[in-house]
Coordinates of all heavy atoms in Angstrom, one line a residue:
N1 N 17.2 1.5 -0.1 CA 17.4 0.0 -0.4 C 17.2 -0.7 0.9 O 17.9 -0.6 1.9 CB 18.9 -0.1 -0.9 CG 19.2 -1.6 -1.3 OD1 18.3 -2.4 -1.1 ND2 20.3 -1.8 -1.8
G2 N 16.1 -1.5 0.9 CA 15.9 -2.4 2.1 C 15.2 -1.6 3.2 O 14.7 -0.5 3.1
A3 N 15.0 -2.3 4.3 CA 14.3 -1.7 5.5 C 15.0 -0.4 5.9 O 16.2 -0.3 5.9 CB 14.4 -2.7 6.7
G4 N 14.2 0.6 6.2 CA 14.7 1.9 6.5 C 14.7 2.9 5.3 O 14.8 4.1 5.5
A5 N 14.6 2.4 4.1 CA 14.6 3.2 2.9 C 13.3 4.0 3.0 O 12.2 3.5 3.4 CB 14.7 2.4 1.6
A6 N 13.4 5.3 2.6 CA 12.2 6.1 2.7 C 12.2 7.2 1.5 O 13.2 7.5 1.0 CB 12.1 6.9 4.0
W7 N 11.0 7.6 1.2 CA 10.8 8.7 0.2 C 9.6 9.5 0.6 O 8.7 9.0 1.2 CB 10.9 8.2 -1.2 CG 9.8 7.3 -1.6 CD1 8.7 7.6 -2.3 CD2 9.8 5.9 -1.5 NE1 8.0 6.4 -2.6 CE2 8.7 5.4 -2.1 CE3 10.7 5.0 -0.9 CZ2 8.3 4.0 -2.1 CZ3 10.4 3.6 -0.9 CH2 9.2 3.2 -1.5
H8 N 9.6 10.7 0.1 CA 8.4 11.6 0.4 C 8.1 12.3 -0.9 O 8.9 12.5 -1.8 CB 8.8 12.6 1.5 CG 9.3 12.0 2.7 ND1 8.4 11.6 3.7 CD2 10.5 11.7 3.2 CE1 9.1 11.0 4.7 NE2 10.4 11.1 4.4
W9 N 6.8 12.7 -1.0 CA 6.4 13.4 -2.2 C 5.4 14.5 -1.9 O 4.7 14.5 -0.8 CB 5.7 12.4 -3.2 CG 4.6 11.7 -2.6 CD1 3.3 12.1 -2.5 CD2 4.6 10.4 -1.9 NE1 2.5 11.2 -1.9 CE2 3.3 10.1 -1.5 CE3 5.6 9.5 -1.7 CZ2 3.0 8.9 -0.8 CZ3 5.3 8.3 -1.0 CH2 4.0 8.1 -0.6
K10 N 5.2 15.4 -2.8 CA 4.2 16.4 -2.8 C 3.4 16.3 -4.1 O 4.0 16.3 -5.2 CB 4.8 17.8 -2.7 CG 5.5 18.1 -1.4 CD 6.1 19.5 -1.3 CE 6.8 19.7 0.0 NZ 6.0 19.8 1.2
S11 N 2.1 16.2 -3.9 CA 1.2 16.1 -5.1 C -0.1 16.7 -4.9 O -0.8 16.4 -3.9 CB 1.1 14.6 -5.4 OG 0.1 14.4 -6.4
Q12 N -0.5 17.6 -5.8 CA -1.8 18.2 -5.7 C -2.9 17.2 -6.0 O -4.0 17.3 -5.4 CB -1.9 19.4 -6.6 CG -1.1 20.6 -6.2 CD -1.3 21.8 -7.1 OE1 -2.0 21.7 -8.1 NE2 -0.6 22.9 -6.8
S13 N -2.7 16.2 -6.8 CA -3.7 15.3 -7.2 C -3.8 14.1 -6.2 O -4.9 13.6 -5.9 CB -3.6 14.8 -8.6 OG -2.3 14.1 -8.7
Q14 N -2.7 13.6 -5.7 CA -2.6 12.4 -4.8 C -2.4 12.8 -3.4 O -2.6 11.9 -2.5 CB -1.5 11.5 -5.3 CG -1.6 11.0 -6.7 CD -2.9 10.2 -6.9 OE1 -3.2 9.3 -6.2 NE2 -3.6 10.5 -8.0
G15 N -2.0 14.0 -3.1 CA -1.8 14.4 -1.7 C -0.3 14.2 -1.3 O 0.4 13.4 -1.9
N16 N 0.1 15.0 -0.4 CA 1.5 14.9 0.1 C 1.6 13.7 1.1 O 0.7 13.4 1.8 CB 1.9 16.2 0.9 CG 1.8 17.4 0.0 OD1 1.9 17.3 -1.2 ND2 1.5 18.5 0.6
G17 N 2.7 13.0 1.0 CA 2.9 11.8 1.8 C 4.3 11.3 1.8 O 5.2 11.9 1.3
G18 N 4.4 10.1 2.4 CA 5.7 9.5 2.5 C 5.6 8.0 2.7 O 4.5 7.5 3.2
M19 N 6.6 7.2 2.4 CA 6.6 5.8 2.6 C 8.0 5.4 3.1 O 9.0 5.9 2.7 CB 6.3 5.1 1.3 CG 6.3 3.6 1.4 SD 6.0 2.8 -0.2 CE 4.3 3.1 -0.4
T20 N 8.0 4.5 4.1 CA 9.2 4.0 4.7 C 9.1 2.5 4.7 O 8.1 1.9 5.2 CB 9.4 4.5 6.2 OG1 9.4 5.9 6.2 CG2 10.7 4.0 6.7
L21 N 10.1 1.8 4.1 CA 10.1 0.4 4.2 C 10.5 -0.1 5.6 O 11.5 0.4 6.2 CB 11.2 -0.2 3.2 CG 10.9 0.1 1.7 CD1 12.0 -0.6 0.9 CD2 9.5 -0.4 1.3
T22 N 9.7 -1.0 6.1 CA 10.0 -1.5 7.5 C 10.5 -2.9 7.5 O 11.1 -3.3 8.5 CB 8.7 -1.4 8.3 OG1 7.6 -2.2 7.7 CG2 8.2 0.0 8.5
A23 N 10.4 -3.6 6.4 CA 10.9 -4.9 6.3 C 11.1 -5.3 4.8 O 10.3 -4.8 4.0 CB 10.0 -6.0 6.9
A24 N 12.2 -6.0 4.5 CA 12.4 -6.4 3.2 C 13.1 -7.8 3.3 O 14.3 -7.9 3.6 CB 13.3 -5.4 2.4
E25 N 12.3 -8.8 3.0 CA 12.8 -10.2 3.1 C 12.7 -10.8 1.7 O 11.6 -11.2 1.2 CB 11.9 -11.0 4.0 CG 11.9 -10.4 5.5 CD 10.9 -11.1 6.4 OE1 10.6 -12.3 6.1 OE2 10.4 -10.5 7.3
P26 N 13.8 -10.8 0.9 CA 13.8 -11.3 -0.5 C 13.1 -12.6 -0.6 O 13.3 -13.5 0.1 CB 15.3 -11.4 -0.8 CG 16.0 -10.4 0.1 CD 15.2 -10.5 1.4
G27 N 12.2 -12.6 -1.6 CA 11.4 -13.8 -1.9 C 10.3 -14.1 -1.0 O 9.6 -15.1 -1.1
R28 N 10.1 -13.2 0.1 CA 9.1 -13.5 1.1 C 8.1 -12.3 1.3 O 6.9 -12.5 1.2 CB 9.7 -13.8 2.4 CG 10.5 -15.1 2.4 CD 10.9 -15.7 3.7 NE 9.7 -15.9 4.5 CZ 9.6 -15.6 5.8 NH1 10.6 -15.1 6.4 NH2 8.5 -15.8 6.5
R29 N 8.6 -11.1 1.5 CA 7.7 -10.0 1.8 C 8.4 -8.7 1.8 O 9.7 -8.6 2.0 CB 7.0 -10.2 3.1 CG 7.8 -9.9 4.3 CD 7.0 -10.1 5.6 NE 7.8 -9.8 6.8 CZ 7.5 -8.7 7.6 NH1 6.5 -8.0 7.3 NH2 8.3 -8.4 8.6
V30 N 7.7 -7.6 1.6 CA 8.1 -6.3 1.7 C 7.0 -5.6 2.5 O 5.8 -5.7 2.2 CB 8.3 -5.6 0.4 CG1 8.6 -4.1 0.6 CG2 9.3 -6.2 -0.5
A31 N 7.4 -4.9 3.6 CA 6.4 -4.2 4.4 C 6.8 -2.7 4.5 O 8.0 -2.3 4.4 CB 6.4 -4.8 5.8
Y32 N 5.8 -1.9 4.7 CA 6.0 -0.4 4.7 C 5.0 0.3 5.5 O 3.9 -0.2 5.8 CB 6.0 0.1 3.2 CG 4.7 -0.1 2.5 CD1 3.7 0.8 2.6 CD2 4.5 -1.2 1.7 CE1 2.5 0.6 1.9 CE2 3.3 -1.4 1.1 CZ 2.3 -0.5 1.2 OH 1.1 -0.7 0.5
D33 N 5.4 1.5 6.0 CA 4.5 2.5 6.6 C 4.2 3.5 5.6 O 5.1 4.0 4.9 CB 5.2 3.1 7.8 CG 5.3 2.1 9.0 OD1 4.6 1.1 9.0 OD2 6.1 2.4 9.9
L34 N 3.0 3.9 5.5 CA 2.5 4.9 4.5 C 1.8 6.1 5.3 O 1.0 5.8 6.1 CB 1.6 4.3 3.5 CG 1.0 5.1 2.4 CD1 2.1 5.6 1.5 CD2 -0.1 4.4 1.7
T35 N 2.2 7.3 4.9 CA 1.6 8.5 5.6 C 1.2 9.4 4.5 O 1.8 9.6 3.5 CB 2.6 9.2 6.5 OG1 3.8 9.6 5.8 CG2 3.0 8.3 7.7
F36 N 0.0 10.1 4.8 CA -0.5 11.2 4.0 C -0.8 12.3 4.9 O -1.3 12.0 6.0 CB -1.7 10.8 3.1 CG -1.4 10.0 1.9 CD1 -1.5 8.6 2.0 CD2 -1.0 10.6 0.7 CE1 -1.2 7.8 0.9 CE2 -0.8 9.8 -0.4 CZ -0.9 8.4 -0.3
D37 N -0.5 13.6 4.5 CA -0.9 14.7 5.3 C -2.4 14.6 5.7 O -3.2 14.3 4.9 CB -0.6 16.0 4.6 CG 0.9 16.3 4.4 OD1 1.7 15.5 4.9 OD2 1.2 17.3 3.8
D38 N -2.7 14.9 6.9 CA -4.1 15.0 7.4 C -4.8 13.6 7.5 O -6.0 13.6 7.7 CB -4.9 15.9 6.6 CG -4.3 17.3 6.5 OD1 -3.8 17.8 7.6 OD2 -4.4 18.0 5.5
F39 N -4.1 12.5 7.4 CA -4.7 11.2 7.6 C -3.8 10.4 8.6 O -2.6 10.6 8.7 CB -4.8 10.5 6.3 CG -5.8 11.0 5.3 CD1 -5.4 11.9 4.3 CD2 -7.1 10.7 5.4 CE1 -6.3 12.5 3.5 CE2 -8.0 11.3 4.6 CZ -7.6 12.1 3.6
A40 N -4.5 9.4 9.2 CA -3.7 8.5 10.1 C -2.8 7.7 9.3 O -3.2 7.3 8.1 CB -4.7 7.7 10.9
P41 N -1.7 7.3 9.8 CA -0.8 6.4 9.0 C -1.4 5.0 8.8 O -2.2 4.6 9.5 CB 0.5 6.4 9.9 CG 0.1 6.7 11.2 CD -1.1 7.6 11.1
S42 N -0.9 4.4 7.8 CA -1.3 3.0 7.5 C -0.1 2.1 7.3 O 1.0 2.6 7.1 CB -2.3 2.9 6.3 OG -1.6 3.4 5.2
K43 N -0.3 0.8 7.3 CA 0.8 -0.1 7.0 C 0.4 -1.0 5.8 O -0.8 -1.3 5.6 CB 0.9 -1.0 8.3 CG 1.4 -0.3 9.5 CD 1.7 -1.2 10.6 CE 2.3 -0.5 11.8 NZ 3.5 0.2 11.6
G44 N 1.4 -1.3 5.0 CA 1.2 -2.1 3.9 C 2.2 -3.2 3.8 O 3.2 -3.2 4.4
E45 N 1.8 -4.3 3.0 CA 2.7 -5.4 2.9 C 2.4 -6.1 1.6 O 1.3 -6.3 1.2 CB 2.4 -6.3 4.1 CG 3.4 -7.4 4.3 CD 3.2 -8.1 5.7 OE1 2.1 -8.2 6.2 OE2 4.3 -8.6 6.2
L46 N 3.5 -6.5 0.9 CA 3.4 -7.4 -0.2 C 4.0 -8.7 0.3 O 5.1 -8.8 0.7 CB 4.2 -6.9 -1.4 CG 3.6 -5.7 -2.2 CD1 4.0 -4.4 -1.7 CD2 3.8 -5.9 -3.6
L47 N 3.1 -9.8 0.1 CA 3.5 -11.1 0.6 C 3.7 -12.0 -0.7 O 2.9 -12.0 -1.6 CB 2.4 -11.7 1.5 CG 2.1 -10.9 2.7 CD1 0.8 -11.4 3.3 CD2 3.2 -10.9 3.7
L48 N 4.8 -12.7 -0.7 CA 5.1 -13.6 -1.8 C 5.1 -15.0 -1.4 O 5.6 -15.4 -0.4 CB 6.5 -13.3 -2.3 CG 6.8 -11.8 -2.7 CD1 8.3 -11.5 -2.8 CD2 6.0 -11.4 -3.9
A49 N 4.4 -15.9 -2.2 CA 4.4 -17.3 -1.9 C 4.6 -18.1 -3.2 O 3.9 -17.8 -4.2 CB 3.0 -17.6 -1.3
A50 N 5.5 -19.0 -3.2 CA 5.8 -19.8 -4.4 C 4.6 -20.8 -4.6 O 4.1 -21.4 -3.7 CB 7.1 -20.6 -4.2
E51 N 4.2 -20.9 -5.9 CA 3.1 -21.8 -6.3 C 3.5 -22.5 -7.6 O 3.3 -21.9 -8.6 CB 1.8 -21.1 -6.4 CG 1.2 -20.6 -5.1 CD -0.2 -20.0 -5.2 OE1 -0.7 -20.0 -6.3 OE2 -0.7 -19.6 -4.2
G52 N 4.2 -23.6 -7.5 CA 4.7 -24.3 -8.6 C 5.8 -23.4 -9.3 O 6.7 -23.0 -8.7
N53 N 5.5 -23.1 -10.6 CA 6.5 -22.3 -11.4 C 6.1 -20.8 -11.3 O 6.6 -20.0 -12.0 CB 6.5 -22.7 -12.8 CG 7.1 -24.1 -13.0 OD1 8.0 -24.5 -12.2 ND2 6.8 -24.8 -14.0
A54 N 5.2 -20.4 -10.4 CA 4.7 -19.1 -10.3 C 4.9 -18.6 -8.9 O 5.2 -19.3 -8.0 CB 3.2 -19.0 -10.7
T55 N 4.6 -17.3 -8.7 CA 4.6 -16.7 -7.4 C 3.3 -15.9 -7.2 O 3.0 -15.1 -8.0 CB 5.8 -15.7 -7.3 OG1 7.0 -16.4 -7.5 CG2 5.8 -15.1 -5.9
R56 N 2.7 -16.2 -6.1 CA 1.4 -15.5 -5.8 C 1.9 -14.3 -4.9 O 2.6 -14.4 -4.0 CB 0.5 -16.3 -4.9 CG -0.8 -15.5 -4.5 CD -1.8 -16.4 -3.7 NE -2.3 -17.4 -4.6 CZ -3.3 -17.2 -5.5 NH1 -3.8 -16.1 -5.6 NH2 -3.7 -18.2 -6.2
V57 N 1.4 -13.1 -5.4 CA 1.7 -11.9 -4.6 C 0.4 -11.3 -4.0 O -0.6 -11.2 -4.8 CB 2.3 -10.8 -5.6 CG1 2.5 -9.5 -4.8 CG2 3.6 -11.3 -6.2
T58 N 0.4 -11.1 -2.7 CA -0.8 -10.6 -2.1 C -0.4 -9.2 -1.5 O 0.6 -9.1 -0.8 CB -1.2 -11.5 -0.9 OG1 -1.5 -12.8 -1.5 CG2 -2.5 -11.0 -0.2
W59 N -1.2 -8.2 -1.8 CA -0.9 -6.8 -1.3 C -2.0 -6.4 -0.4 O -3.2 -6.4 -0.7 CB -0.9 -5.9 -2.5 CG -0.3 -4.6 -2.3 CD1 0.1 -4.0 -1.2 CD2 0.0 -3.6 -3.3 NE1 0.6 -2.7 -1.4 CE2 0.5 -2.5 -2.7 CE3 -0.3 -3.6 -4.7 CZ2 0.8 -1.3 -3.4 CZ3 0.1 -2.4 -5.4 CH2 0.6 -1.3 -4.8
V60 N -1.6 -6.1 0.9 CA -2.6 -5.7 1.9 C -2.2 -4.4 2.5 O -1.0 -4.0 2.5 CB -2.7 -6.8 3.0 CG1 -3.2 -8.1 2.5 CG2 -1.4 -7.0 3.7
M61 N -3.2 -3.7 2.9 CA -3.0 -2.4 3.6 C -4.0 -2.3 4.8 O -5.1 -2.7 4.7 CB -3.3 -1.2 2.7 CG -2.9 0.1 3.3 SD -3.0 1.5 2.1 CE -4.8 1.8 2.2
T62 N -3.4 -1.9 5.9 CA -4.3 -1.8 7.1 C -4.0 -0.4 7.8 O -3.0 0.2 7.6 CB -4.0 -2.9 8.2 OG1 -2.6 -2.7 8.6 CG2 -4.2 -4.2 7.6
G63 N -5.0 0.1 8.5 CA -4.9 1.3 9.1 C -6.0 1.5 10.2 O -7.0 0.9 10.1
E64 N -5.8 2.4 11.1 CA -6.7 2.7 12.1 C -7.4 4.0 11.8 O -6.7 5.0 11.6 CB -6.0 2.8 13.5 CG -6.9 3.1 14.7 CD -8.0 2.0 14.9 OE1 -7.6 0.8 14.8 OE2 -9.1 2.4 15.1
M65 N -8.7 4.0 11.7 CA -9.5 5.2 11.3 C -9.8 6.0 12.6 O -10.3 7.1 12.4 CB -10.7 4.8 10.6 CG -10.5 4.0 9.3 SD -9.2 4.8 8.2 CE -10.1 6.1 7.5
G66 N -9.5 5.5 13.7 CA -9.8 6.3 14.9 C -11.2 6.4 15.3 O -12.1 5.7 14.7
R67 N -11.6 7.3 16.2 CA -12.9 7.4 16.7 C -13.7 8.5 16.0 O -14.9 8.7 16.2 CB -12.9 7.7 18.2 CG -12.3 6.5 18.9 CD -12.3 6.7 20.4 NE -13.6 6.8 21.0 CZ -14.3 5.8 21.4 NH1 -13.9 4.6 21.2 NH2 -15.5 6.0 21.9
N68 N -13.0 9.3 15.1 CA -13.7 10.4 14.4 C -14.7 9.8 13.4 O -14.3 9.0 12.5 CB -12.7 11.2 13.6 CG -13.3 12.3 12.8 OD1 -14.3 12.2 12.1 ND2 -12.6 13.5 12.9
P69 N -16.0 10.1 13.5 CA -17.0 9.5 12.7 C -16.8 9.8 11.2 O -17.1 8.9 10.3 CB -18.3 10.1 13.1 CG -18.0 11.2 14.1 CD -16.6 11.0 14.5
V70 N -16.2 10.9 10.8 CA -16.0 11.2 9.4 C -14.9 10.3 8.9 O -15.0 9.7 7.8 CB -15.6 12.7 9.2 CG1 -15.2 13.0 7.8 CG2 -16.7 13.6 9.6
N71 N -13.8 10.1 9.6 CA -12.8 9.2 9.2 C -13.3 7.8 9.1 O -12.9 7.0 8.2 CB -11.6 9.2 10.2 CG -10.8 10.5 10.1 OD1 -11.0 11.3 9.2 ND2 -10.0 10.8 11.1
R72 N -14.1 7.4 10.0 CA -14.7 6.0 10.0 C -15.6 5.8 8.8 O -15.5 4.8 8.1 CB -15.4 5.7 11.3 CG -14.5 5.6 12.5 CD -15.2 5.5 13.8 NE -15.8 4.2 13.9 CZ -15.2 3.1 14.5 NH1 -14.0 3.2 14.9 NH2 -15.8 2.0 14.5
W73 N -16.3 6.8 8.4 CA -17.2 6.7 7.3 C -16.3 6.7 6.0 O -16.6 5.9 5.1 CB -18.1 8.0 7.2 CG -19.0 8.0 6.1 CD1 -20.2 7.4 5.9 CD2 -18.8 8.8 4.9 NE1 -20.7 7.7 4.7 CE2 -19.9 8.5 4.0 CE3 -17.8 9.6 4.4 CZ2 -20.0 9.1 2.8 CZ3 -17.9 10.2 3.1 CH2 -19.0 9.9 2.3
F74 N -15.2 7.5 6.0 CA -14.3 7.5 4.9 C -13.7 6.1 4.7 O -13.5 5.6 3.6 CB -13.2 8.6 5.1 CG -12.2 8.7 4.0 CD1 -12.6 9.3 2.8 CD2 -10.9 8.3 4.2 CE1 -11.7 9.5 1.8 CE2 -10.0 8.5 3.2 CZ -10.4 9.1 2.0
G75 N -13.4 5.4 5.8 CA -12.8 4.1 5.8 C -13.6 3.1 5.0 O -13.1 2.1 4.5
L76 N -14.9 3.3 5.0 CA -15.8 2.4 4.3 C -15.6 2.4 2.8 O -15.9 1.4 2.1 CB -17.3 2.7 4.6 CG -17.7 2.6 6.0 CD1 -19.2 3.1 6.1 CD2 -17.7 1.1 6.5
F77 N -15.0 3.4 2.3 CA -14.7 3.6 0.8 C -13.3 3.3 0.4 O -12.9 3.5 -0.7 CB -15.2 5.0 0.4 CG -16.6 5.2 0.6 CD1 -17.0 5.9 1.8 CD2 -17.6 4.8 -0.3 CE1 -18.4 6.1 2.0 CE2 -18.9 5.0 0.0 CZ -19.3 5.7 1.1
M78 N -12.5 2.9 1.3 CA -11.0 2.7 1.0 C -10.8 1.7 -0.1 O -10.0 1.9 -1.0 CB -10.2 2.3 2.3 CG -10.1 3.4 3.3 SD -9.4 4.9 2.6 CE -7.7 4.4 2.3
E79 N -11.6 0.6 -0.1 CA -11.4 -0.4 -1.1 C -11.6 0.2 -2.5 O -10.9 0.0 -3.5 CB -12.3 -1.6 -0.9 CG -12.3 -2.6 -2.0 CD -11.0 -3.4 -2.1 OE1 -10.3 -3.6 -1.0 OE2 -10.6 -3.9 -3.2
K80 N -12.7 1.0 -2.6 CA -13.0 1.6 -3.9 C -11.9 2.7 -4.3 O -11.7 2.9 -5.5 CB -14.4 2.2 -3.9 CG -15.4 1.2 -3.9 CD -16.8 1.7 -4.0 CE -17.8 0.6 -3.9 NZ -19.1 0.8 -4.5
L81 N -11.4 3.3 -3.3 CA -10.4 4.4 -3.5 C -9.0 3.9 -3.9 O -8.4 4.4 -4.8 CB -10.3 5.3 -2.3 CG -11.5 6.2 -2.0 CD1 -11.4 6.8 -0.6 CD2 -11.7 7.2 -3.1
V82 N -8.5 2.9 -3.2 CA -7.2 2.4 -3.4 C -7.1 1.1 -4.2 O -6.1 0.7 -4.7 CB -6.3 2.3 -2.1 CG1 -6.2 3.6 -1.5 CG2 -6.9 1.2 -1.2
G83 N -8.2 0.4 -4.3 CA -8.3 -0.9 -5.0 C -7.8 -0.8 -6.4 O -7.0 -1.6 -6.8
P84 N -8.2 0.2 -7.2 CA -7.7 0.3 -8.6 C -6.2 0.5 -8.7 O -5.6 0.0 -9.6 CB -8.5 1.4 -9.2 CG -9.8 1.5 -8.4 CD -9.4 1.1 -7.0
D85 N -5.7 1.3 -7.7 CA -4.2 1.5 -7.7 C -3.5 0.2 -7.4 O -2.4 -0.1 -8.0 CB -3.9 2.5 -6.7 CG -4.3 3.9 -7.1 OD1 -4.4 4.2 -8.3 OD2 -4.6 4.7 -6.2
F86 N -4.0 -0.6 -6.4 CA -3.4 -1.9 -6.1 C -3.5 -2.8 -7.3 O -2.5 -3.5 -7.7 CB -4.1 -2.6 -4.9 CG -3.7 -2.1 -3.6 CD1 -3.3 -0.8 -3.4 CD2 -3.6 -3.0 -2.5 CE1 -2.9 -0.3 -2.1 CE2 -3.2 -2.5 -1.3 CZ -2.9 -1.2 -1.1
D87 N -4.6 -2.9 -8.0 CA -4.8 -3.7 -9.2 C -3.8 -3.3 -10.3 O -3.1 -4.2 -10.9 CB -6.2 -3.6 -9.7 CG -7.2 -4.3 -8.8 OD1 -6.8 -5.1 -8.0 OD2 -8.4 -4.0 -9.0
A88 N -3.6 -2.0 -10.5 CA -2.7 -1.5 -11.5 C -1.2 -1.9 -11.1 O -0.4 -2.3 -12.0 CB -2.9 0.0 -11.7
G89 N -0.9 -1.7 -9.8 CA 0.4 -2.0 -9.4 C 0.7 -3.5 -9.5 O 1.8 -3.8 -9.9
L90 N -0.2 -4.3 -9.2 CA 0.0 -5.8 -9.3 C 0.1 -6.2 -10.8 O 1.0 -7.0 -11.1 CB -1.1 -6.6 -8.6 CG -1.1 -6.5 -7.1 CD1 -2.4 -7.1 -6.6 CD2 0.1 -7.2 -6.5
A91 N -0.6 -5.6 -11.7 CA -0.5 -5.8 -13.1 C 0.8 -5.4 -13.6 O 1.5 -6.1 -14.4 CB -1.7 -5.1 -13.8
N92 N 1.3 -4.3 -13.2 CA 2.6 -3.8 -13.6 C 3.7 -4.7 -13.1 O 4.7 -5.0 -13.8 CB 2.9 -2.4 -13.1 CG 2.1 -1.3 -13.9 OD1 1.7 -1.6 -15.0 ND2 1.9 -0.2 -13.2
L93 N 3.6 -5.2 -11.8 CA 4.6 -6.1 -11.3 C 4.6 -7.4 -12.1 O 5.6 -8.0 -12.4 CB 4.2 -6.4 -9.8 CG 5.2 -7.3 -9.0 CD1 6.6 -6.8 -9.0 CD2 4.7 -7.5 -7.6
K94 N 3.4 -7.9 -12.4 CA 3.3 -9.1 -13.2 C 4.0 -9.0 -14.6 O 4.8 -9.8 -15.0 CB 1.8 -9.5 -13.5 CG 1.6 -10.8 -14.2 CD 0.1 -11.1 -14.4 CE -0.1 -12.4 -14.9 NZ -0.1 -12.6 -16.3
T95 N 3.8 -7.9 -15.2 CA 4.4 -7.6 -16.5 C 5.9 -7.6 -16.4 O 6.7 -8.2 -17.2 CB 3.9 -6.2 -17.1 OG1 2.5 -6.3 -17.3 CG2 4.6 -5.9 -18.4
L96 N 6.4 -6.9 -15.4 CA 7.9 -6.8 -15.1 C 8.5 -8.2 -14.8 O 9.5 -8.6 -15.3 CB 8.2 -5.9 -14.0 CG 8.0 -4.4 -14.3 CD1 8.2 -3.6 -13.1 CD2 9.0 -3.9 -15.4
A97 N 7.8 -9.0 -14.0 CA 8.2 -10.3 -13.6 C 8.3 -11.2 -14.9 O 9.2 -12.0 -15.0 CB 7.4 -10.9 -12.5
E98 N 7.3 -11.1 -15.7 CA 7.3 -12.0 -16.9 C 8.3 -11.6 -17.9 O 8.6 -12.4 -18.8 CB 5.9 -12.0 -17.5 CG 4.9 -12.7 -16.6 CD 3.4 -12.7 -17.0 OE1 3.1 -11.8 -17.9 OE2 2.6 -13.4 -16.5
Q99 N 8.8 -10.4 -17.9 CA 9.9 -9.9 -18.8 C 11.2 -10.4 -18.4 O 12.2 -10.5 -19.2 CB 9.9 -8.4 -18.9 CG 8.7 -7.8 -19.6 CD 8.7 -6.3 -19.6 OE1 9.6 -5.7 -19.0 NE2 7.7 -5.7 -20.2
S100 N 11.4 -10.8 -17.1 CA 12.7 -11.2 -16.6 C 13.1 -12.6 -17.1 O 12.4 -13.4 -17.3 CB 12.7 -11.2 -15.1 OG 12.4 -9.9 -14.6

C-alpha cells in the first residue's frame, strides 16, 4: 500500500521480475521501479491530470539500455513489445473508473 509496496513474480511467458512503488500521490501520480531478470531496471509512472469532468492518465516508462549493442537494438522495439500491454492496462483502468 503506497510508496515502498513491492511484489515479485515468476513467469515462464513474461519473465521473472518485480515492481516497487516509489511514489503514490493520490489524484496526481504513481511511480514505480520495474525489474526483470537479465535486464536493466526501468522506471514507470502514471500521471493523472484533471480535464473538466474527466481525468487524463499518461503512462510512461523509461530505462537505460547501457552500452551493450544488443540491448540498444532491443530498445528500439520496446514500444512494440510493451505498448499493447500499456494500451490494455489503460483500457482496463478506464473501465474500472467508469464503473465507480
Side-chain angles (χ1 to χ4, degrees):
N1 184 356
W7 61 98
H8 303 276
W9 59 84
K10 292 184 183 286
S11 169
Q12 289 184 357
S13 63
Q14 301 297 314
N16 301 332
M19 181 182 286
T20 302
L21 295 182
T22 57
E25 301 172 30
R28 295 194 57 220
R29 75 183 186 112
V30 175
Y32 59 89
D33 288 342
L34 180 65
T35 59
F36 283 96
D37 292 357
D38 303 321
F39 290 96
S42 60
K43 295 186 177 298
E45 190 169 31
L46 281 95
L47 304 168
L48 307 166
E51 292 187 357
N53 292 334
T55 301
R56 176 176 297 279
V57 179
T58 304
W59 192 355
V60 297
M61 185 172 82
T62 60
E64 181 61 45
M65 300 309 284
R67 299 181 63 87
N68 180 316
V70 173
N71 288 348
R72 294 174 70 89
W73 180 81
F74 184 72
L76 297 172
F77 299 96
M78 290 306 291
E79 175 69 28
K80 289 185 184 203
L81 292 170
V82 300
D85 291 331
F86 277 36
D87 290 342
L90 289 169
N92 288 338
L93 181 60
K94 182 178 190 276
T95 298
L96 289 171
E98 289 174 345
Q99 290 174 356
S100 298

